[in-house]
Amino acid sequence: MSKVNKHGSAGRKLRVGVNHVEFTKYSEREIIQYDIELQPEGGEFKKLPPAEFMRSVFDQCMRMHRASRLGNTLMVYDARKIAYAPQRVCGPAETLRLEVSHSEAGRASKYTVQIREAAVIDPSSVTRFIRGEAGTEMADIQPALTAMDLAIGSVAHQGMVGFGRSFFTRAQSMLTSGGLELWRGFSLSVRPGMDRLYLNVNTAVTAMYMPGSLLEALLGVFDLQSVEQLRGHIDQSRAREMSAYLRGLTLYLRHRGITGKRKFAVKGVTSAALDRESFEWEDPGRPGRPETVTIAQYYAKRYNIKLRYPYLPGLVGRKNAIFPIELCEVAENQRYRGKLGDRQTADMVRFACQRPDDNRKRIEDVLRQLNFAESPVTAAFGLTLTSRLAEVESRVLPAPTINYARASQEPTLSPASGAWNMRGKRVSTPGAPLEFWAVLVLSRQRDLPMNRVQAFVTTLVDTCVQTGYGIRQNRPPIVYGNLNADLGREMRQACDAINLPPKRPPQLLLVVLPSTNAHVYQTIKNCAYTTLGIQTQCMQAKNMQKPSTQYCANLCLKINTKLGGTNQALTPSHLQKLVHNKPTLFMGCDVTHPAPGEQHKPSIASVVGSTDFMGLRYSATLIQLPSRQELVSKLQDAVVRHLKLFFKGTKTKPRHIIFYRDGVGETQFSQVRDRELIEIQRACSSVEPGYKPEITFLAVLKRHNTRFFPLNRTGDRMGNCVPGTVIDRSVTIPSLFDFYLFSHAAIQGTSRPTHYYVLHNDAKFSPDEIQELTYHLCFTYAICTRSVSLVPPVYYAHRVADRARCHMVDMGVGFEDASSATSGYYGGAGTSTRQTDDPDRATKIIKTHENLDETMYFM
């Protein structure tokens, strides 16, 4: 790629700070990459030990041999299989073998470290890239950036616990629920800019296992006060919960029968208690006389340890050895990689939330702490940085005009702050009037009496009428259901209470839930999406107790959208000017992957496409992909479907497709663009030979670590950059047409901009045009009276992907009961007992009920 015209000029110019530190110098000398193989004496590891152990052994080897065997050359190591050095430590074809002795838990062992040259990296490629010279892609400079990342990161490893490019300390931590702690830290990443190289420094928070007694940690997992509460209550469900917590966890076994602390990993949990789990054992003091003993008896006879809690299950380790929970400790510095619960997530948000000024000060404190100027590692690799955060130029784009129905008291407005309200406004286009609907209450009637439900319904109906959405049936049937019964049956019974004409499906089921139970919610949506084919609107019972007009207005926006209406719109002439007066199909695409440890689950691609000229109405397509596949197979089929739906809604073929693609890393841009662009083009030609609409393909990146800070009090009331702030200079990618955009006003904490990359531009959008179009679309998100942080096609794709869990509610993580000669145990989380007719999770389009297929059911 060559340097592109990417700089816009529209808007008010402002200087902003950024969490980047400029490299004043970086060496263009070759960096040597080495393959590292660490082996124990007399064998090899079947599985690589934890990174902390690997790093410890390697560092000890460097201390022993740097002067005598390595010519005093500093090496940086990724704690797995790769190291870098600023000069050669052995010949290109030579393998250097170094012996090292390392002690852990009071036991010394010998290891061999083998060093073999793997590649020679040329950092001058970075210089060519940041200058925007032709022929250099982002992927080409990644080896040099990775080497620099590792060199910079090795400075942070001193006194910190590192995971990739992020570093944390327990000195800044808080206890949360479920046997976990939250630790503060920071991330470091070398980033190319315009004619400059930067170090990106950002604050970070992660969840860690609480070190110490495993028993205390498990009490936290189950939210119990005493171990006695577990007596007789470790059923299969709790054993699975325990297994999920223990997945990948390293424990120490510590008791009088062993020297020091023995480290082990957990395979599962025994299905029986320690005083009932038995095996055949031969006492060393009585050879030839095997006997059947329980695990509790074994520890008493073998180690003279009387277990305090023999009614608990045991932990199954290597070779099916069984260890009592009460004798185990959680090793230090272990990161939790499971999904956080609601309470933990709320704690994480509170702990991580910092105002922009506080965030900036913390980053500056990190830089002072690391003191790169005095580091021998950065000196060895020829890296020199400034000591201050950089400043860059930004521009603030004007807000669009938002339009409501002409009958509104305030039919148009231009919200510069990125937020407004529905007072005096009526929806721009009402959906189908609500006539055939019912209320299903899954709370107990004594907790939510009929009169309360009727009062809420009255408020909801009145609010909908005031906002311009018509309701013909203002007294729908109210049915109480059983939360613990077959929810599909309960939903059918509620639908049966509606006085329906022949062959007319219900329009809406308002479902009242007593809590935010995810499984109940997903089951309801699964039945609605796949079996009944009805729109559902779920709400919590607590919101019915005191009807709020604002809450009811929010529900009205959702119901109107689901039933075919639109709530607010841009000015048609303005939007048409932005898209060059061509019928335009807006599309969004995202790929979501299963959580760690759930490899048996498929990945899901969600594709949405607009069905009107204004980009307000969307339909969705779900595609099941093999687990962790990033490229979207069957995209051609999805695009064909959305081309036809656009034509159905507008009676016109789109002359322009704007495709916003989320979930792609910068090094994957070329691959995804080339593959998926071809799929889109094939879709067009398959609809009609010779049909070639213009295609604009943008990648969208929300998960990045770049943050901007307003200077001289030019931010919003939270101290963040104001909505409409765009940055397309200095810290953007030289050879790409990219920009950062703040399209929303953050409610709390430090605002994160979205990073957009224009990868293909048939329409020849100028920077000002694509930036303004993207920003203004963010005011059209259907169920918000504020501009959103992501362009709506991507936001909708996110919602569709989230609803995909409801389609697959029967594909939850399963477990299997494994048995051996000595014991049965519950396997670790992620082991599935479910058999499927689709074992490879083959690619296929997931069907939604035909009644919902062309609607915005996902709102």
Side-chain angles (χ1 to χ4, degrees):
M1 286 188 175
S2 58
K3 187 176 286 190
V4 296
N5 174 28
K6 57 188 288 179
H7 299 149
S9 58
R12 176 169 50 96
K13 292 183 180 180
L14 287 175
R15 298 287 291 178
V16 293
V18 59
N19 62 342
H20 284 41
V21 181
E22 186 180 342
F23 282 88
T24 55
K25 176 187 172 186
Y26 61 92
S27 173
E28 294 191 353
R29 297 195 314 266
E30 292 177 340
I31 298 173
I32 315 300
Q33 178 179 325
Y34 290 96
D35 286 338
I36 304 296
E37 190 172 348
L38 196 155
Q39 297 176 336
E41 186 177 36
E44 60 182 32
F45 294 114
K46 291 183 180 179
K47 180 182 176 182
L48 280 182
E52 188 179 9
F53 172 82
M54 300 282 281
R55 188 181 307 282
S56 179
V57 174
F58 185 84
D59 289 348
Q60 175 67 8
C61 179
M62 293 297 101
R63 284 191 291 270
M64 289 179 62
H65 298 291
R66 182 175 290 123
S68 59
R69 302 288 301 277
L70 302 174
N72 278 319
T73 302
L74 279 166
M75 299 185 74
V76 292
Y77 176 49
D78 73 350
R80 306 320 287 157
K81 293 189 172 184
I82 295 174
Y84 298 95
Q87 60 191 47
R88 281 194 166 88
V89 298
C90 60
E94 180 186 354
T95 298
L96 191 61
R97 291 179 175 84
L98 305 175
E99 305 293 329
V100 60
S101 178
H102 181 263
S103 297
E104 186 179 42
R107 292 182 293 179
S109 301
K110 292 184 178 180
Y111 301 91
T112 300
V113 177
Q114 292 189 164
I115 302 175
R116 184 168 44 249
E117 186 174 312
V120 178
I121 297 168
D122 178 15
S124 66
S125 62
V126 175
T127 303
R128 294 192 295 274
F129 184 81
I130 64 177
R131 288 176 180 168
E133 294 181 11
T136 309
E137 299 272 356
M138 189 74 179
D140 298 330
I141 66 168
Q142 203 57 50
L145 297 184
T146 301
M148 294 181 192
D149 276 337
L150 205 55
I152 291 289
S154 68
V155 180
H157 266 294
Q158 300 163 18
M160 305 288 286
V161 179
F163 304 101
R165 296 171 181 164
S166 299
F167 307 88
F168 302 92
T169 173
R170 199 184 184 199
Q172 301 174 30
S173 64
M174 70 166 278
L175 185 65
T176 185
S177 58
L180 302 180
E181 298 176 332
L182 303 177
W183 290 19
R184 286 197 198 278
F186 54 85
S187 65
L188 302 171
S189 179
V190 179
R191 295 279 305 166
M194 303 288 293
D195 291 314
R196 295 174 178 86
L197 190 65
Y198 292 100
L199 176 66
N200 170 236
V201 187
N202 196 31
T203 54
V205 173
T206 194
M208 303 285 288
Y209 286 97
M210 183 174 69
S213 166
L214 175 61
L215 202 53
E216 288 186 20
L218 290 176
L219 288 179
V221 171
F222 298 127
D223 198 19
L224 300 175
Q225 299 302 313
S226 72
V227 182
E228 188 64 29
Q229 291 174 277
L230 288 171
R231 184 189 289 271
H233 295 291
I234 303 288
D235 55 12
Q236 189 168 340
S237 174
R238 271 193 168 158
R240 290 173 180 172
E241 193 175 350
M242 190 186 301
S243 293
Y245 177 78
L246 296 170
R247 180 199 305 148
L249 185 60
T250 297
L251 299 173
Y252 284 123
L253 181 67
R254 190 171 190 177
H255 60 76
R256 292 188 297 265
I258 62 173
T259 303
K261 295 189 292 186
R262 182 185 302 167
K263 187 181 288 187
F264 72 99
V266 182
K267 284 171 58 179
V269 181
T270 60
S271 53
L274 295 176
D275 57 5
R276 289 186 289 116
E277 192 79 42
S278 61
F279 69 107
E280 197 171 85
W281 175 64
E282 186 176 294
D283 190 332
R286 303 171 64 190
R289 300 177 64 180
E291 58 181 317
T292 299
V293 296
T294 65
I295 302 299
Q297 291 169 338
Y298 167 77
Y299 272 85
K301 293 186 176 190
R302 181 74 176 87
Y303 299 115
N304 195 28
I305 297 174
K306 184 178 180 180
L307 297 179
R308 296 177 61 191
Y309 310 109
Y311 50 81
L312 295 180
L315 305 180
V316 183
R318 194 163 158 265
K319 297 182 179 178
N320 292 324
I322 298 174
F323 306 107
I325 292 172
E326 64 189 80
L327 301 180
C328 295
E329 294 180 2
V330 179
E332 295 181 335
N333 301 337
Q334 296 188 82
R335 194 178 196 179
Y336 179 72
R337 298 186 180 278
K339 185 178 180 181
L340 296 178
D342 291 342
R343 281 176 57 191
Q344 294 164 333
T345 300
D347 285 344
M348 175 76 86
V349 170
R350 281 193 297 270
F351 190 59
C353 184
Q354 297 179 95
R355 292 179 69 93
D357 285 346
D358 296 333
N359 204 20
R360 177 171 185 153
K361 288 173 184 174
R362 191 175 291 276
I363 291 170
E364 290 169 340
D365 288 343
V366 166
L367 290 171
R368 281 191 291 270
Q369 171 193 336
L370 294 174
N371 193 14
F372 289 116
E374 301 298 324
S375 168
V377 178
T378 53
F381 280 83
L383 304 174
T384 308
L385 297 103
T386 61
S387 57
R388 297 182 61 229
L389 296 182
E391 295 180 6
V392 299
E393 181 182 293
S394 73
R395 291 173 290 111
V396 181
L397 304 179
T401 297
I402 304 299
N403 294 267
Y404 284 91
R406 291 182 180 177
S408 303
Q409 294 177 22
E410 187 183 12
T412 64
L413 70 154
S414 185
S417 63
W420 61 99
N421 59 58
M422 284 295 294
R423 282 196 297 272
K425 301 174 186 66
R426 299 169 71 87
V427 296
S428 58
T429 308
L434 194 53
E435 184 174 3
F436 305 110
W437 64 301
V439 181
L440 173 61
V441 183
L442 293 176
S443 289
R444 294 176 301 185
Q445 190 163 356
R446 69 170 178 262
D447 297 329
L448 193 61
M450 179 68 77
N451 63 334
R452 289 269 176 87
V453 181
Q454 289 173 333
F456 178 86
V457 170
T458 299
T459 304
L460 176 63
V461 170
D462 291 345
T463 305
C464 288
V465 171
Q466 290 167 14
T467 55
Y469 176 60
I471 296 186
R472 291 176 180 168
Q473 174 53 272
N474 57 14
R475 294 186 65 83
I478 297 170
V479 178
Y480 283 86
N482 184 353
L483 186 68
N484 299 314
D486 180 340
L487 292 176
R489 187 186 65 210
E490 302 297 293
M491 293 170 70
R492 288 186 186 92
Q493 289 178 352
C495 292
D496 290 343
I498 305 171
N499 186 18
L500 289 169
K503 297 184 179 180
R504 175 70 186 262
Q507 290 176 285
L508 178 75
L509 195 59
L510 180 65
V511 183
V512 186
L513 302 173
S515 67
T516 56
N517 184 295
H519 182 74
V520 170
Y521 177 84
Q522 290 175 356
T523 302
I524 289 168
K525 292 296 185 179
N526 174 265
C527 187
Y529 295 163
T530 61
T531 306
L532 297 179
I534 57 172
Q535 300 285 2
T536 53
Q537 181 59 57
C538 293
M539 62 172 291
Q540 288 187 58
K542 66 179 184 181
N543 293 313
M544 268 198 173
Q545 300 291 355
K546 291 184 179 180
S548 157
T549 302
Q550 182 177 348
Y551 180 81
C552 289
N554 291 337
L555 281 187
C556 175
L557 296 182
K558 293 183 178 183
I559 293 169
N560 186 48
T561 301
K562 289 174 180 178
L563 294 184
T566 60
N567 296 324
Q568 73 265 14
L570 299 176
T571 303
S573 59
H574 171 67
L575 178 63
Q576 289 308 307
K577 179 183 177 183
L578 289 176
V579 295
H580 300 175
N581 295 305
K582 295 173 183 175
T584 299
L585 168 62
F586 295 100
M587 298 192 71
C589 177
D590 185 28
V591 178
T592 57
H593 302 292
E598 298 184 353
Q599 292 86 350
H600 68 291
K601 279 190 174 183
S603 292
I604 298 293
S606 50
V607 183
V608 302
S610 58
T611 58
D612 66 337
F613 288 121
M614 296 297 294
L616 301 175
R617 301 289 310 160
Y618 284 79
S619 58
T621 305
L622 277 171
I623 306 172
Q624 177 177 290
L625 302 173
S627 187
R628 308 233 160 254
Q629 177 175 308
E630 188 57 61
L631 293 172
V632 181
S633 306
K634 289 192 175 291
L635 180 60
Q636 178 179 338
D637 294 344
V639 174
V640 166
R641 178 172 180 268
H642 289 291
L643 286 168
K644 291 179 178 179
L645 289 173
F646 183 88
F647 183 82
K648 182 178 179 179
T650 64
K651 307 303 180 204
T652 305
K653 294 195 299 291
R655 292 172 55 197
H656 185 196
I657 298 172
I658 302 181
F659 193 92
Y660 289 95
R661 174 67 155 92
D662 196 9
V664 184
E666 289 178 330
T667 57
Q668 301 170 302
F669 281 170
S670 296
Q671 180 187 15
V672 170
R673 175 198 62 209
D674 295 345
R675 165 81 177 270
E676 296 183 0
L677 188 61
I678 289 173
E679 292 276 303
I680 298 169
Q681 291 168 338
R682 286 174 177 168
C684 296
S685 59
S686 71
V687 168
E688 180 181 294
Y691 173 49
K692 294 181 179 180
E694 296 174 344
I695 299 170
T696 302
F697 192 109
L698 294 93
V700 182
L701 197 61
K702 184 68 174 174
R703 294 181 179 178
H704 59 80
N705 288 315
T706 299
R707 303 291 184 271
F708 297 92
F709 308 104
L711 302 175
N712 304 319
R713 299 186 178 183
T714 54
D716 63 12
R717 62 185 181 84
M718 292 292 298
N720 282 301
C721 293
V722 297
T725 300
V726 64
I727 298 96
D728 59 10
R729 299 169 188 268
S730 301
V731 293
T732 51
I733 307 298
S735 57
L736 292 179
F737 181 175
D738 65 320
F739 57 93
Y740 292 94
L741 174 64
F742 287 90
S743 53
H744 69 299
I747 297 173
Q748 60 180 354
T750 303
S751 183
R752 173 167 46 186
T754 300
H755 197 172
Y756 295 92
Y757 308 77
V758 183
L759 303 183
H760 188 81
N761 189 14
D762 281 342
K764 295 182 171 52
F765 276 122
S766 70
D768 284 333
E769 288 173 331
I770 195 65
Q771 290 166 10
E772 185 177 2
L773 172 64
T774 300
Y775 176 45
H776 288 186
L777 284 175
C778 292
F779 286 76
T780 65
Y781 186 64
I783 57 174
C784 257
T785 53
R786 59 190 308 122
S787 55
V788 291
S789 62
L790 273 173
V791 69
V794 171
Y795 212 140
Y796 294 145
H798 282 189
R799 290 187 70 96
V800 173
D802 186 59
R803 295 299 185 269
R805 301 174 190 170
C806 305
H807 287 267
M808 300 182 170
V809 72
D810 59 337
M811 292 173 60
V813 180
F815 300 79
E816 63 183 356
D817 291 343
S819 60
S820 66
T822 59
S823 72
Y825 64 91
Y826 298 121
T831 309
S832 175
T833 58
R834 299 187 187 275
Q835 300 299 315
T836 173
D837 295 328
D838 190 12
D840 297 325
R841 306 295 183 192
T843 300
K844 61 184 179 183
I845 290 180
I846 301 169
K847 297 293 185 183
T848 304
H849 196 285
E850 61 181 6
N851 292 350
L852 305 179
D853 199 31
E854 297 178 15
T855 71
M856 295 181 74
Y857 68 89
F858 45 86
M859 299 306 292

